[in-house]
Amino acid sequence: MPTRDRALPGEERLVSYNTESIRNIALAGHAGSGKTTLFEALLHAGGVIQAPGSVERGNTQSDTDAQEKARGHSIDSCIAGIDRGGCHVNLIDTAGYDDFRGGTLSAFAAVETVMVVVNAVNGIEHGTRRMMEHARSRGLARVLVVNKIDFEGAHLGALVEALREEFGPECLPVNLPAQGGKQVLDCFFHTEGATDFSSLAAAHQRILDQVVEINEATMGAYLDNGEAALSREQLHDAFEQCLREGHLVPICFASARSGAGVAELLDIAERLLPNPAEGNPPPFVNGEGEAITVNADPAQHVIADVFKIVNDPFVGKLGIFRVWQGTVRRDAQLFVDDGRKPFRVGHLFRLNAKNHLEIAQAVPGDIAAVAKVEEIHYDAVLHDAHEEDRIHLAPMRFPQPMFGLALEPKHKGQEQKLANALARLAEEDPCLRMEHHKELNETVLRGLSELHLKVTLERMRERYGVEVVTHPPRIAYRETIAAQAEGHHRHKKQTGGAGQFGEVFLRVEPLERGAGFEFVDAVKGGVIPGTFLPAIEKGVRQAMERGAVAGYPLQDLRVTVYDGKYHPVDSKEVAFVSAGKKAFLDAVGKARPIVLEPIVDMEVAIPESDVGDVTGGLAGKRARILGTDSRRGGELLIKALAPLAELVDYPTELKAMTGGRGRYSLDLSHYEPVPPVVQKQLVDAWRPHDEDD
């Protein structure tokens, strides 16, 4: 069904497409692979811009933020549409640095296909592996795009073999470079032409054999009558099925700099990549965690998922969403999650890089945005009927933000302004987390790396005019127990009028790591009325949050309330809150309390010549080396487990050991007990605040 895009007041242009003609594609890969330059080249080839911009000149469509221009790389994802040959391509350029992968992974929730861009000179890098695995685990079609094919030092034949060895024999070229990387020739539909390596005929046969075997009917027709018996529709359907089931990962070649292979990429998108009705079904679940079916049908109820939030200085808060079912129309009424009051879609936008184009409707598969809806948030489900109140899209697996900085405003009186700015920045980035520690009156911002936090603070200063003083925060230790124990407390106050009375007996017992917290009501005979059980749980949770031995939150335990007393006149909620809290602390003190520290999965990429210094340094930080892998260009990848507390100064140390050539990444692995000497230091350093009853 046609939709109208409004670029300027009074100016409308008709863009005609339906769900079957939409292609949703994310460009991902390692930093420096040329994703943004390829994004520009694709927009140019698709007729969206007159000339491609340059990262070096700071005039690209996607890197518009001041920090992106200053640093010369993407920080946020950027969305643009291309209308070409009856096909509408929603293209998302994503950040390559691990520090900013929150936005990259968010984009994966909105697409059917991920094009993982590979630097032809550098070959397979750790970002290549990460993005291939994330796309595979999400059930997305994957395409490997070898970029910079005309750069000196590119060995394309060897790179294809390396890709097949790394990611499997299902990785096969669908086109091949020719004339020294100046041209790219299709080998899926064609067999003749001179190429820089291999041959079109051999490559065509390999990919044809791979594609036809996915489907018995196609395989039978091929074996009986050869390739001539297969129609283009049959080949497309088999190709699309291979992508959906991971039976094929096409390899394409391009030079974003010269434009070679760029138009061919758009041809592949139009002719072979899955549309929203063909991709694997989105993993929506209901309130009970049961999978539900969502159909790319424009006539059904609206279901859309918000995958990106932007606080735009001109149009306000933008909620960017992917339509999975139904048709979103301007002036329609939509609910956010299980909200009871709908909002009106006053303005509906299609994003085209720097521009927001107003549209009349968005069909299944479309990516669109609404503005100035304050209750909208990342991962919200938008819908138009209460039948979909409790459904949501299975969340992406984001890395835990492990790096932290304690913040306070540089100028007095800006505390609320700081809190508002942090809230705005955190709602844009799923890998930013803000914490407030009441005992220390300390605000902590956590992110994925030192660079991630630095960029966030620079943005806060530039956008919101808030400057801060920073210092290292406490490490995110946790507490738990190692044994079962019982606790008791009687809370009794008489201050002349109505008194306070509550008595609680409870039991604590450890649970396995990661199990969280369980509260069990085992009270018999009404010795504590059921109305006071929530107050006891509230007191227990307050004590858990503040810590019992070193001031860190408790986790992985079960609390069972089994006995107590109440007074028909003096028993109040506040009395049982206090009794529950102190009975819990009494029990924990007897249950062999222990402090847990975060252990991180660590990957360190270094020159091979520095391996001795780096592994020796890690051993001195209580790290456990899990293994090493040799990479191209004399690079070595060290995999290790290490306590986060030992890595506070690691960026500076690694830079010194490797002359600035080393890099590393961290992901939370698990929590485990600290050594006894460390626990003693933490316990001795804690000064709990006494609380009045």
Side-chain angles (χ1 to χ4, degrees):
M1 186 177 292
T3 66
R4 290 188 177 272
D5 285 6
R6 188 159 62 232
L8 294 169
E11 179 187 349
E12 290 193 352
R13 54 191 178 90
L14 188 66
V15 178
S16 179
Y17 60 83
N18 55 24
T19 296
E20 287 68 29
S21 60
I22 294 174
R23 307 290 184 271
N24 292 313
I25 302 169
L27 297 179
H30 193 78
S33 59
K35 296 181 300 300
T36 297
T37 305
L38 181 60
F39 184 75
E40 293 288 310
L42 288 165
L43 295 184
H44 177 242
V48 178
I49 54 178
Q50 292 186 344
S54 162
V55 173
E56 293 75 20
R57 293 194 301 270
N59 64 346
T60 64
Q61 296 293 306
S62 56
D63 293 349
T64 58
D65 180 84
Q67 289 297 317
E68 291 177 320
K69 291 182 178 181
R71 296 178 180 279
H73 63 75
S74 298
I75 295 172
D76 298 315
S77 57
C78 177
I79 305 162
I82 299 172
D83 292 291
R84 179 178 184 268
C87 183
H88 176 72
V89 180
N90 288 314
L91 194 64
I92 307 180
D93 180 29
T94 69
Y97 280 90
D98 277 350
D99 316 74
F100 309 108
R101 64 186 184 273
T104 300
L105 298 181
S106 298
F108 284 18
V111 301
E112 283 75 41
T113 302
V114 176
M115 287 187 172
V116 180
V117 184
V118 182
N119 185 322
V121 179
N122 296 346
I124 301 168
E125 299 172 276
H126 76 276
T128 316
R129 296 182 182 88
R130 277 184 183 273
M131 294 301 108
M132 286 289 285
E133 175 55 26
H134 281 303
R136 185 201 63 77
S137 65
R138 194 70 179 181
L140 301 175
R142 296 172 294 167
V143 177
L144 285 161
V145 179
V146 178
N147 188 26
K148 305 184 180 182
I149 60 174
D150 53 348
F151 279 47
E152 185 177 351
H155 301 289
L156 304 180
L159 178 54
V160 167
E161 293 309 310
L163 291 169
R164 287 169 56 79
E165 183 177 349
E166 181 77 32
F167 302 116
E170 62 269 23
C171 300
L172 291 169
V174 292
N175 56 36
L176 289 172
Q179 299 180 22
K182 296 178 182 177
Q183 186 181 8
V184 169
L185 302 179
D186 167 76
C187 61
F188 185 62
F189 293 111
H190 300 89
T191 59
E192 295 182 2
T195 58
D196 292 342
F197 71 93
S198 186
S199 71
L200 286 187
H204 173 81
Q205 192 60 53
R206 280 194 296 268
I207 197 166
L208 185 64
D209 291 343
Q210 185 79 3
V211 166
V212 298
E213 70 181 20
I214 193 71
N215 179 302
E216 284 189 11
T218 307
M219 185 68 168
Y222 176 67
L223 291 176
D224 290 342
N225 299 300
E227 183 180 348
L230 301 176
S231 67
R232 291 208 168 197
E233 290 72 21
Q234 285 178 300
L235 286 173
H236 167 270
D237 291 347
F239 192 97
E240 179 271 319
Q241 184 181 352
C242 285
L243 291 177
R244 185 159 31 89
E245 298 181 9
H247 189 65
L248 174 65
V249 178
I251 301 175
C252 307
F253 294 88
S255 171
R257 179 177 66 176
S258 71
V262 174
E264 288 79 0
L265 268 182
L266 291 176
D267 288 339
I268 288 169
E270 180 184 354
R271 298 167 70 180
L272 297 173
L273 297 188
N275 66 52
E278 294 171 328
N280 284 321
F284 277 96
V285 295
N286 62 19
E288 287 70 47
E290 301 166 337
I292 64 169
T293 302
V294 173
N295 299 308
D297 182 347
Q300 293 193 25
H301 287 167
V302 169
I303 297 177
D305 179 72
V306 178
F307 69 93
K308 183 177 173 65
I309 296 291
V310 176
N311 288 299
D312 189 282
F314 301 106
V315 297
K317 184 177 182 179
L318 272 177
I320 303 168
F321 58 88
R322 155 72 188 265
V323 182
W324 290 97
Q325 177 178 288
T327 301
V328 177
R329 294 182 173 86
R330 195 165 52 217
D331 295 325
Q333 301 280 325
L334 294 180
F335 297 97
V336 178
D337 294 330
D338 56 357
R340 311 315 295 170
K341 184 179 179 182
F343 71 90
R344 186 178 72 88
V345 183
H347 298 279
L348 184 64
F349 297 102
R350 168 183 163 188
L351 303 184
N352 211 9
K354 305 172 186 178
N355 303 313
H356 304 145
L357 309 176
E358 194 161 350
I359 57 176
Q361 65 180 30
V363 298
D366 258 335
I367 292 174
V370 290
K372 299 178 181 178
V373 181
E374 280 307 309
E375 60 267 34
I376 211 165
H377 58 88
Y378 169 75
D379 208 28
V381 170
L382 309 181
H383 56 98
D384 60 1
H386 284 302
E387 289 91 327
E388 286 83 31
D389 272 354
R390 299 183 63 211
I391 73 167
H392 65 274
L393 192 63
M396 299 294 301
R397 293 183 58 188
F398 291 105
Q400 289 287 328
M402 301 303 299
F403 286 79
L405 281 176
L407 313 175
E408 57 183 90
K410 190 174 182 179
H411 306 292
K412 288 189 179 297
Q414 287 198 326
E415 288 78 10
Q416 189 58 49
K417 193 174 180 182
L418 169 62
N420 292 340
L422 288 174
R424 290 293 188 189
L425 291 166
E427 69 181 353
E428 292 184 350
D429 188 340
C431 289
L432 277 178
R433 189 172 69 223
M434 185 174 63
E435 303 171 355
H436 185 70
H437 298 158
K438 295 179 183 177
E439 291 235 338
L440 298 175
N441 193 27
E442 180 180 76
T443 297
V444 174
L445 181 67
R446 295 197 181 277
L448 298 181
S449 68
E450 185 180 29
L451 176 61
H452 189 201
L453 295 178
K454 183 178 181 180
V455 168
T456 299
L457 296 183
E458 288 172 350
R459 283 184 160 180
M460 184 166 63
R461 177 178 54 82
E462 292 168 355
R463 292 185 187 178
Y464 303 106
V466 180
E467 295 185 71
V468 295
V469 177
T470 66
H471 57 273
R474 300 191 305 173
I475 293 295
Y477 293 108
R478 295 291 183 264
E479 298 177 16
T480 192
I481 56 175
Q484 180 175 304
E486 295 184 349
H488 161 251
H489 184 77
R490 172 183 285 188
H491 177 87
K492 186 175 183 180
K493 269 192 173 183
Q494 196 70 42
T495 56
Q500 295 181 12
F501 180 84
E503 187 171 5
V504 172
F505 292 84
L506 56 75
R507 183 185 309 112
V508 297
E509 54 189 301
L511 299 176
E512 64 182 18
R513 293 283 181 269
F517 168 63
E518 293 180 14
F519 184 83
V520 179
D521 172 11
V523 176
K524 304 295 184 185
V527 293
I528 302 176
T531 53
F532 290 124
L533 265 297
I536 297 173
E537 181 175 358
K538 180 179 179 181
V540 168
R541 287 185 179 275
Q542 286 179 358
M544 288 179 62
E545 182 181 343
R546 293 168 183 167
V549 293
Y552 297 97
L554 282 108
Q555 64 182 35
D556 304 336
L557 52 84
R558 177 186 293 121
V559 175
T560 303
V561 180
Y562 63 89
D563 201 0
K565 291 181 181 178
Y566 82 104
H567 189 280
V569 176
D570 292 344
S571 286
K572 299 177 177 63
E573 178 183 353
V574 65
F576 277 100
V577 169
S578 181
K581 181 189 307 178
K582 293 188 176 181
F584 174 75
L585 293 174
D586 178 44
V588 168
K590 305 170 188 174
R592 288 173 33 213
I594 55 177
V595 178
L596 304 173
E597 64 180 342
I599 304 298
V600 293
D601 279 317
M602 191 175 189
E603 290 190 353
V604 188
I606 58 168
E608 287 184 347
S609 57
D610 297 319
V611 63
D613 291 341
V614 173
T615 54
L618 289 173
K621 296 180 178 298
R622 298 191 282 128
R624 301 193 294 273
I625 307 295
L626 302 179
T628 59
D629 289 327
S630 294
R631 303 299 190 204
R632 290 178 60 171
E635 184 178 83
L636 193 73
L637 186 72
I638 301 171
K639 297 181 179 180
L641 286 172
L644 181 64
E646 299 284 347
L647 302 175
V648 173
D649 298 319
Y650 197 66
T652 303
E653 295 173 14
L654 183 64
K655 185 176 181 180
M657 285 187 288
T658 64
R661 295 180 293 169
R663 64 180 186 275
Y664 74 104
S665 63
L666 304 178
D667 281 320
L668 178 65
S669 174
H670 61 281
Y671 275 84
E672 64 183 41
V674 299
V677 63
V678 176
Q679 175 152 334
K680 185 177 186 306
Q681 292 170 355
L682 294 171
V683 171
D684 291 345
W686 187 44
R687 297 289 181 268
H689 295 285
D690 292 331
E691 296 183 24
D692 294 331
D693 289 343

